[in-house]
Amino acid sequence: MQTWGFAVSVEGGEMKKFKIITNNPRVRDTYQDEYEVVFLDVTIKEIMQTVRDLCAEGYELLTHPLSGSVKPGETPYKSVLVSQHKGQTTDINGYRLAESAMSACDKFAPMHKDWSPGVLDDFQLVDYTLISSGIESAIA
């Protein structure tokens, strides 16, 4: 099982500002007053598509879209950091990573769709913990 870490871009020793792309209500509720949060009530694959499209527009991918050891079919939640402002060119590496993550979503069919509220809360906590680590790196 592969675990993906977080990579946060630093330019000239200064931390880049970011926005959070998420379908996780816990992440939205926790961070919406501090950071720009783009909350989408969509599947993980659609989160990856959104991230891919943002990279194509010039936003930079700041955290790996498959961070952690949880496969896309094992959880309904995903949060990803991208730069707050778009650059002048496509983030090719970010685009490719998001495309690869979309393919991974196709490989791992959802294990279960009718999770109990307690299980959904656990999934939200796992994703929240992973993105919180990325945020801590981004602001350190």
Side-chain angles (χ1 to χ4, degrees), residues 33-100:
D33 293 335
E34 292 179 72
Y35 305 108
E36 182 178 352
V37 176
V38 178
F39 179 80
L40 305 167
D41 189 14
V42 297
T43 65
I44 288 181
K45 184 173 181 180
E46 291 168 306
I47 290 290
M48 302 306 174
Q49 289 170 329
T50 299
V51 169
R52 178 204 57 195
D53 294 347
L54 289 170
C55 290
E57 292 175 23
Y59 291 91
E60 184 179 359
L61 180 65
L62 301 178
T63 58
H64 198 291
L66 294 178
S67 59
S69 60
V70 182
K71 294 178 184 77
E74 296 175 341
T75 179
Y77 301 110
K78 189 65 199 166
S79 301
V80 180
L81 298 183
V82 298
S83 60
Q84 189 168 24
H85 304 288
K86 63 176 154 177
Q88 296 187 5
T89 60
T90 296
D91 176 6
I92 297 294
N93 290 332
Y95 185 93
R96 289 180 181 150
L97 282 172
E99 280 275 310
S100 176

Side-chain angles (χ1 to χ4, degrees), residues 119-139:
V119 171
L120 289 172
D121 193 52
D122 289 345
F123 285 137
Q124 288 178 26
L125 179 61
V126 169
D127 178 61
Y128 166 81
T129 302
L130 287 169
I131 202 64
S132 293
S133 175
I135 291 169
E136 286 176 24
S137 295
I139 62 175

